[in-house]
Amino acid sequence: MDAQPGFVVVASLTRPRGVKGEICSVALTDDPDRYARLRTVYVNAQPYEVERVWYHKGQPVFKFRGIDSVDGIARLAGQDVSIPLSERAPLAEGEYYFADLIGCRVVDSATGSTAGVVTGWQDVGGPVVLELDGGQVLVPYAKAIVAEIDLAAREIRANLPDGLLELNR
């Protein structure tokens, strides 16, 4: 799920559906209505015009204009569907896209020391966990812990629980 620079992945294509050039996908957005608004998407940096999107078992099925056969669509299986960052849905005040947190330093509010740099995140049920320094340190993304985010300064101030850093290292 690595998007090209300037793009964000919104779905992962899995397998052809039927014989008319449709392809199943795994949704990678919390906004299921998002897919109905898509007009042009990118797969392997190539633009594709979205003819329609419908749902099968709760997951989006894409039909791209000009691809009308199983053979034509099968080559896209296993690829990601991306959109330009500028087309992401706006967020409410105080909300952030996790992808925007990558590269931010996490600073312990109590000590002022840097706990690490966000390199990814895990969503395994419960609060999302921020991965610092390639997953060497895991910090729960919870209101009680993440105190302040300053994207311009690329810094997250956190109230790290006692022993959290030692537990992870």
Side-chain angles (χ1 to χ4, degrees):
M1 280 187 277
D2 293 325
Q4 297 288 329
F7 288 80
V8 63
V9 176
V10 295
S12 184
L13 301 174
T14 57
R15 62 175 177 76
R17 170 86 167 96
V19 296
K20 297 179 181 176
E22 296 174 324
I23 189 164
C24 297
S25 70
V26 174
L28 299 175
T29 177
D30 292 338
D31 179 8
D33 296 331
R34 174 77 182 108
Y35 299 105
R37 298 187 301 269
L38 294 176
R39 297 295 170 251
T40 301
V41 297
Y42 296 81
V43 179
N44 292 329
Q46 291 286 111
Y48 288 87
E49 186 179 343
V50 177
E51 190 172 305
R52 72 178 169 277
V53 177
W54 60 280
Y55 290 83
H56 177 71
K57 296 185 179 180
Q59 294 295 331
V61 177
F62 285 87
K63 171 65 175 84
F64 300 125
R65 189 164 313 285
I67 301 178
D68 299 313
S69 69
V70 173
D71 291 339
I73 200 66
R75 61 186 170 79
L76 298 182
Q79 304 301 316
D80 292 327
V81 175
S82 299
I83 60 170
L85 286 172
S86 61
E87 294 181 15
R88 290 190 299 186
L91 295 175
E93 179 79 25
E95 291 184 356
Y96 302 90
Y97 284 106
F98 288 114
D100 291 345
L101 301 180
I102 292 178
C104 288
R105 288 182 322 118
V106 175
V107 177
D108 186 346
S109 296
T111 66
S113 63
T114 298
V117 175
V118 178
T119 54
W121 68 91
Q122 299 175 18
D123 187 0
V124 293
V128 168
V129 178
L130 297 177
E131 296 176 351
L132 309 186
D133 301 335
Q136 293 182 14
V137 176
L138 303 175
V139 175
Y141 185 81
K143 287 182 182 182
I145 296 174
V146 176
E148 180 183 344
I149 297 174
D150 184 344
L151 287 180
R154 307 299 299 150
E155 184 174 283
I156 299 171
R157 299 208 55 83
N159 301 317
L160 299 176
D162 290 337
L164 178 74
L165 296 178
E166 293 76 19
L167 175 68
N168 281 272
R169 294 183 194 232

